Amino acid sequence: MKKTLLFASLLSFALFSCGEKSTTTETGSETHASGDASSANSVSVSSSKTTSGIIDAYLAVKDALVADDAASAAAKSADLVAVLKSYDIAGAQTNDPEELERLQVEATGFAEKLATADIAAQRESFQALSVVLKDMLKIAGTDRTLYHQYCPMYKGNTGGMWLSASEDVKNPLFGSSMLTCGRVEETLALN
């Protein structure tokens, strides 16, 4: 009986935490758990086709994690590693090629760790990769609008982020257990 009551309490907490329409952060700005990007910060990034392959491969891994498919995420990570390694920094129109190269190396390292069969380890590497890739795309540019999404409940409520091509939240850090937990934090919009 106690276990059932405890489980019901934890489930209620999880649903309540991710189901809120809006909350106020310490800075006083309004954030949304519904995936609504209308009040998210918008950052202008340059238009670039050079990152298309990286974004496509990243989104394929994200979709596999959303579907709780560790085998597919591991297989798709090989494509991501390949496009990251072959990314031509010299061809990128950037003022900071050294920082771009550092981010490329770091992103490749996290992408290589996705080759494991352990979905929890994949999700941890994917979250770290997402942070680095967002910074890389801000420098290198993108071929589409991307949404930086954030789930406050990931990793013991320390939170985690990922990038999506849609403002609809499909959480790769929890998959089917908390599929819509999260909100749009920032929009990477084309110039």
Side-chain angles (χ1 to χ4, degrees):
M1 179 68 170
K2 288 182 181 180
K3 286 183 180 179
T4 304
L5 184 58
L6 179 62
F7 178 74
S9 297
L10 289 173
L11 184 60
S12 297
F13 173 74
L15 292 173
F16 176 75
S17 295
C18 283
E20 292 179 331
K21 289 293 179 193
S22 66
T23 58
T24 304
T25 63
E26 290 180 19
T27 60
S29 64
E30 188 176 26
T31 57
H32 294 274
S34 65
D36 178 19
S38 62
S39 65
N41 293 330
S42 184
V43 174
S44 183
V45 295
S46 62
S47 177
S48 174
K49 299 283 186 206
T50 64
T51 56
S52 297
I54 293 170
I55 296 167
D56 290 342
Y58 169 88
L59 293 173
V61 172
K62 178 192 76 79
D63 292 343
L65 292 174
V66 165
D68 299 321
D69 189 346
S72 180
K76 291 177 187 304
S77 72
D79 293 336
L80 180 56
V81 169
V83 294
L84 280 166
K85 284 183 175 181
S86 68
Y87 180 70
D88 180 23
I89 293 172
Q93 300 296 320
T94 179
N95 294 333
D96 199 352
E98 294 85 15
E99 178 65 4
L100 188 56
E101 183 177 10
R102 184 191 70 76
L103 292 168
Q104 176 192 25
V105 169
E106 194 173 347
T108 303
F110 287 125
E112 288 171 339
K113 292 179 182 179
L114 292 166
T116 181
D118 178 1
I119 198 160
Q122 286 176 329
R123 287 180 166 143
E124 191 169 326
S125 295
F126 182 79
Q127 196 288 142
L129 168 66
S130 298
V131 172
V132 174
L133 188 61
K134 182 182 97 166
D135 291 342
M136 185 177 170
L137 294 174
K138 282 183 175 181
I139 295 171
T142 179
D143 65 346
R144 66 198 93 177
T145 296
L146 294 170
Y147 301 92
H148 161 183
Q149 297 178 341
Y150 175 79
C151 175
M153 297 188 68
Y154 181 68
K155 257 190 90 107
N157 295 325
T158 60
M161 62 84 56
W162 65 94
L163 297 172
S164 178
S166 168
E167 57 186 287
D168 294 331
V169 173
K170 300 287 187 229
N171 189 329
L173 305 179
F174 281 111
S176 63
S177 67
M178 290 178 31
L179 185 61
T180 59
C181 181
R183 64 182 176 261
V184 175
E185 289 274 303
E186 186 175 58
T187 302
L188 303 180
L190 296 175
N191 280 346

